[in-house]
Amino acid sequence: MHTHCCFCSMQCGLVIENKDDDTYKVKPSKSFPVATGRLCQKGLNAVTHTQHDSRITRPLQRENPEDDPWMPRDWNHAMISIAERITSIQSKYGHDAVAVYGGGSLTNEVSYLLGKFTRVALQSRHIDYNGRYCMSSAATAANQAFGLDRGFTFPLSDISKADYIILAGTNIAECQPTMVPYLLEAKKRGAMIVTIDPRYTLTTKLSDIDVRLRPGFDAVFVNGLLHVIVKENLYDHTFVQQRTQGFESLVDAVEAYTPDRVEALTGILPEVTRTIARGFAQAKTGIVLTARGVEQQTNGVDNTLNYINLSLVTGKIGKNGCGFGAVTGQGNGQGGREHGQKADQLPGYRLIDDPTARQHVADVWGISPDDLPGKGVSAYEMIEKIDQGKIKAMIVLGSNPVVSSPNNHFVKQALQKLDLLVVIDMFETETAQLAHWLLPGSSFLEGEGTMTNLEGRVIHRPQVFGEYGDSMQDYQIICQLAKHLGKGQYFQYDSIEAVFDELCRASAGGKADYSGISYDRLKKEKGVYWPCPSRDHAGSPLLFTDRFYHSDGMAKLTPITPKKPAEVTTRAFPYVLTTGRLASHYLSGVQTRRTAQLNRKAPVPLAEIHPWLAKKLKIGKDQKVKLTSLRGEITLQVKIHNGIHPRTIFVPFHWGGALSINQVTNDALDPQSRMPEFKICAVNAERAD
């Protein structure tokens, strides 16, 4: 049985073999091109959680989540009761009193339907998803610079063709391990690899130059690189003149960032700055990859734009072996934001406040554009509206905001104020523990659909198993609920393929144009790169070969003036906390904490601290540290090693309850992308006896 992994944005091919009636063996697919015939530890164990004893097998209800036990219900009772409660709430408080919170691991079809359900069945403006916490800064930056947001501007295979690779705030070796062979192939050809990160990671081991940069100083350091490139006349004059705008303003912005000044601000030696700037600019081909390390900040858009500036001034984009890429974290973080889960977007990456876009999508959906609601607010701002009493009900599908949101004490308190919380999931997550209804959704093996990986390749994922217990496929739950809300005529599909065909029509003419893609093509061609505007179009592996997507065809260089983070260190909170992922876990850990083979490798989070800080705090091996911020505190066992900046503390984010680091993190938002500041939080640290 062939399918694709549910973890991460690579979407590696799996072969599942039935060993006996109860167990399965997973092997890498040798025929799927993305992962070069490999799987990581999560992929090899991807089936385990789908068979876990704690799976929800039928709808569950309770009136009072704090006191009442779950009571099993049948689907008809569940749908009628939920629809009646939604209707009652909307009659009293208006359509926008009901919100939807989606996920970046859902298929394109479910993402699309969830957006349509919110706008057509609920007529609410409030939908967003956990991808807001993942790719929103990179997406905003790419749209501003290129006029188009696709994670990679090039196919994965081009990485091995690059002569110089800069990896900023991305730990590929742990988060996307099957991408590593492309990097190794490049190194084999003689490529130079630079990593920029506050930690020494598995990815750093691949590097030729390791820049140990404190969180919050990316814009300063990149301005230093750009300063050298400009001053030494190393930029691509022809490309800058013919294909970009804003060079003069960029030159002014970087004028003051000499390597000596960069050293004074960051501690990075001037020769390191000069060596990287000269090396990247003079290389024949080069690629810059960023990820959450630079993006999950209140200056995340600016940070990403500056790394894009680096690609543009050196002319390293739109040709083989060159490009910029933001390494998507979630399985379908790319497709999830293209087809309607974001607060301001309609399918095809259309803006919801664009009259032409509204007319096109309304025509496909068979409604008047006047009936489409307007722009909503971001994921964390929906939580704030719940706290303010403006949102009274929420439906959560495939997400766990109580663990994944910053300042999650506040998030939990807000969700407890809801008159109705419906969670659709495989398990009783930390969010579901607060719900009135828990509906059993489907695993990645139990529903057919499509996913779009980090390079913009749309792939088909077949159904492997039947429904688990009395669970229902996610798309069927959405359609059934729409029917009980009196909008069933807009959700008539005889198969999931029919949903995809409608998605393609809705995306036609948009930036993320899927209209030339079909299930047949995806199966035959092992994926198709968007945009693909017609059935005879080959797809678009390499973007921007002759023009960018702004109306004038030019890319925009953006001068960046580095800004302070939302929270700076003080005498009371003298250290910087930063968070991230581990190789053996995924997102809020709902699936991987239930996979024994993965969980035993990292059963609890550890606080990584430098030996200097351990000595200062008088903390030894196997002892604990208490971290305190303005929002909360957490006590964790330490991991002492010299691979982290002395004044920076790293904690992974895959756990809930007392082990959740998001009790402490900062909920300040990037003013453009509305991304929370997960990566920089001022904390105090002390030994916990």
Side-chain angles (χ1 to χ4, degrees):
M1 297 176 285
H2 289 258
T3 186
H4 293 273
C5 183
C6 57
F7 301 121
C8 112
S9 52
M10 291 290 285
Q11 287 299 297
C12 304
L14 308 180
V15 179
I16 300 175
E17 296 179 349
N18 190 186
K19 292 173 66 178
D20 52 47
D21 289 342
D22 298 320
T23 59
Y24 297 89
K25 181 179 181 180
V26 179
K27 299 194 304 185
S29 169
K30 301 294 184 184
S31 61
F32 188 65
V34 166
T36 59
R38 293 173 174 84
L39 281 180
C40 71
Q41 58 181 312
K42 285 201 290 286
L44 291 169
N45 292 285
V47 174
T48 304
H49 73 273
T50 70
Q51 312 292 307
H52 198 272
D53 291 342
S54 63
R55 276 200 65 172
I56 307 302
T57 57
R58 58 190 304 186
L60 301 173
Q61 182 200 16
R62 57 190 172 191
E63 291 296 325
N64 184 349
E66 290 189 20
D67 300 318
D68 296 344
W70 288 116
M71 299 297 293
R73 306 295 188 199
D74 63 53
W75 277 106
N76 192 50
H77 178 84
M79 290 296 172
I80 292 172
S81 296
I82 294 169
E84 287 179 348
R85 191 75 186 110
I86 288 173
T87 301
S88 173
I89 289 170
Q90 290 190 314
S91 297
K92 188 173 181 180
Y93 301 105
H95 289 118
D96 293 340
V98 180
V100 172
Y101 195 111
S105 298
L106 304 174
T107 62
N108 290 320
E109 289 82 351
V110 173
S111 299
Y112 167 81
L113 275 184
L114 207 54
K116 181 180 177 181
F117 171 82
T118 307
R119 276 89 183 214
V120 175
L122 296 177
Q123 294 184 279
S124 171
R125 68 178 62 230
H126 289 312
I127 178 171
D128 214 62
Y129 77 132
N130 62 13
R132 180 71 65 172
Y133 298 162
C134 182
M135 289 294 293
S136 58
S137 289
T140 301
N143 276 315
Q144 290 182 16
F146 307 136
L148 183 78
D149 159 38
R150 198 181 81 180
F152 280 21
T153 64
F154 53 88
L156 276 164
S157 55
D158 268 23
I159 293 176
S160 58
K161 302 173 185 173
D163 295 330
Y164 208 105
I165 300 170
I166 295 177
L167 307 175
T170 176
N171 186 4
I172 287 169
E174 291 199 61
C175 300
Q176 288 83 19
T178 53
M179 197 191 304
V180 170
Y182 295 105
L183 295 170
L184 294 175
E185 182 64 24
K187 278 186 73 76
K188 190 176 177 182
R189 288 182 46 257
M192 179 75 74
I193 295 180
V194 175
T195 53
I196 303 170
D197 200 288
R199 300 168 63 216
Y200 186 90
T201 67
L202 288 177
T203 305
T204 314
K205 290 183 178 179
L206 304 172
S207 69
D208 300 282
I209 302 176
D210 166 28
V211 179
R212 200 72 52 83
L213 191 67
R214 280 186 294 164
F217 286 87
D218 286 275
V220 171
F221 180 63
V222 179
N223 270 357
L225 299 178
L226 292 166
H227 175 96
V228 174
I229 290 170
V230 170
K231 286 295 180 183
E232 298 188 6
N233 202 24
L234 300 175
Y235 60 94
D236 187 328
H237 290 247
T238 303
F239 189 91
V240 166
Q241 182 178 7
Q242 296 182 354
R243 301 203 56 190
T244 71
Q245 289 185 339
F247 183 67
E248 291 75 16
S249 298
L250 183 72
V251 170
D252 291 342
V254 304
E255 173 67 25
Y257 290 87
T258 64
D260 288 340
R261 187 179 181 213
V262 170
E263 181 190 24
L265 294 171
T266 67
I268 305 301
L269 296 174
E271 275 313 303
V272 173
T273 303
R274 291 192 183 95
T275 298
I276 296 171
R278 291 166 182 164
F280 186 74
Q282 293 173 337
K284 187 176 180 181
T285 57
I287 282 173
V288 177
L289 299 181
T290 68
R292 306 304 84 71
V294 304
E295 298 160 14
Q296 286 181 323
Q297 303 182 24
T298 52
N299 300 313
V301 174
D302 284 357
N303 292 339
T304 311
L305 280 168
N306 227 14
Y307 281 107
I308 291 174
N309 286 338
L310 203 55
S311 295
L312 290 173
V313 299
T314 56
K316 289 185 172 54
I317 200 158
K319 54 188 179 184
N320 291 330
C322 294
F324 171 81
V327 185
T328 308
Q330 300 189 71
N332 199 28
Q334 182 71 51
R337 69 180 183 270
E338 294 166 358
H339 298 297
Q341 281 198 91
K342 282 186 76 175
D344 60 348
Q345 289 182 359
L346 292 170
Y349 226 122
R350 289 182 158 89
L351 294 177
I352 200 168
D353 52 7
D354 175 1
T356 303
R358 292 171 67 86
Q359 183 69 60
H360 173 83
V361 174
D363 288 345
V364 173
W365 288 352
I367 63 173
S368 166
D370 296 335
D371 292 335
L372 277 173
K375 181 166 63 176
V377 298
S378 70
Y380 194 78
E381 291 169 303
M382 288 202 300
I383 304 293
E384 292 176 328
K385 284 190 174 294
I386 294 171
D387 182 65
Q388 296 160 4
K390 296 177 180 177
I391 291 176
K392 297 290 185 180
M394 177 173 273
I395 299 171
V396 178
L397 172 53
S399 195
N400 189 13
V402 166
V403 175
S404 60
S405 300
N407 190 17
N408 60 19
H409 281 309
F410 168 77
V411 173
K412 184 175 179 180
Q413 291 168 8
L415 294 181
Q416 288 173 321
K417 295 180 178 180
L418 287 168
D419 292 345
L420 174 67
L421 175 59
V422 179
V423 172
I424 304 167
D425 209 292
M426 290 183 286
F427 304 103
E428 186 182 13
T429 64
E430 288 80 359
T431 302
Q433 290 169 7
L434 309 177
H436 302 88
W437 280 95
L438 176 52
L439 304 181
S442 48
S443 78
F444 76 108
L445 298 172
E446 296 149 18
E448 186 179 15
T450 61
M451 307 284 279
T452 304
N453 79 349
L454 77 178
E455 55 179 345
R457 183 197 297 255
V458 185
I459 61 171
H460 175 259
R461 194 171 72 185
Q463 181 175 2
V464 175
F465 296 156
E467 288 81 359
Y468 192 88
D470 196 25
S471 66
M472 189 183 293
Q473 292 191 36
D474 294 341
Y475 93 94
Q476 294 172 328
I477 296 174
I478 296 170
C479 293
Q480 284 295 310
L481 195 50
K483 173 186 172 184
H484 284 84
L485 287 166
K487 299 296 177 70
Q489 68 270 32
Y490 302 107
F491 294 83
Q492 298 289 326
Y493 306 99
D494 57 13
S495 68
I496 195 68
E497 184 174 0
V499 178
F500 184 76
D501 291 343
E502 184 181 286
L503 177 161
C504 291
R505 294 198 301 277
S507 75
K511 289 182 177 179
D513 191 335
Y514 282 35
S515 60
I517 305 176
S518 67
Y519 271 24
D520 283 344
R521 282 195 67 178
L522 295 178
K523 293 173 185 174
K524 290 176 183 174
E525 300 175 30
K526 301 186 186 303
V528 176
Y529 294 85
W530 71 262
C532 182
S534 64
R535 293 298 166 96
D536 60 355
H537 191 283
S540 308
L542 183 63
L543 296 175
F544 315 138
T545 53
D546 56 357
R547 71 187 311 278
F548 293 92
Y549 276 65
H550 291 299
S551 58
D552 59 4
M554 308 283 271
K556 297 189 186 308
L557 292 162
T558 305
I560 300 299
T561 301
K563 305 180 187 70
K564 291 182 178 179
E567 195 170 76
V568 297
T569 55
T570 63
R571 182 170 295 182
F573 301 101
Y575 308 109
V576 173
L577 168 71
T578 192
T579 65
R581 302 164 189 256
L582 297 178
S584 56
H585 285 289
Y586 180 65
L587 301 183
S588 66
V590 170
Q591 295 145 304
T592 50
R593 282 186 275 132
R594 288 175 169 84
T595 304
Q597 300 92 327
L598 299 173
N599 196 51
R600 64 182 171 224
K601 295 183 178 180
V604 295
L606 302 177
E608 294 185 18
I609 63 174
H610 192 273
W612 171 85
L613 182 56
K615 183 178 181 181
K616 180 179 175 64
L617 300 177
K618 299 179 180 177
I619 295 177
K621 184 181 177 184
D622 298 329
Q623 289 188 297
K624 293 185 177 181
V625 63
K626 184 170 83 171
L627 306 176
T628 307
S629 76
L630 286 172
R631 292 155 294 280
E633 63 181 42
I634 186 170
T635 299
L636 299 167
Q637 188 173 322
V638 297
K639 176 182 178 182
I640 303 170
H641 71 112
N642 59 12
I644 189 167
H645 192 279
R647 290 188 174 275
T648 300
I649 300 167
F650 171 83
V651 179
F653 58 65
H654 307 292
W655 287 266
L659 297 177
S660 174
I661 191 58
N662 279 327
Q663 299 172 92
V664 177
T665 50
N666 193 352
D667 56 3
L669 305 178
D670 183 297
Q672 300 177 80
S673 66
R674 319 308 288 166
M675 167 75 84
E677 181 122 286
F678 290 104
K679 288 296 186 283
I680 303 176
C681 166
V683 295
N684 185 35
E686 55 189 322
R687 192 176 74 181
D689 292 319

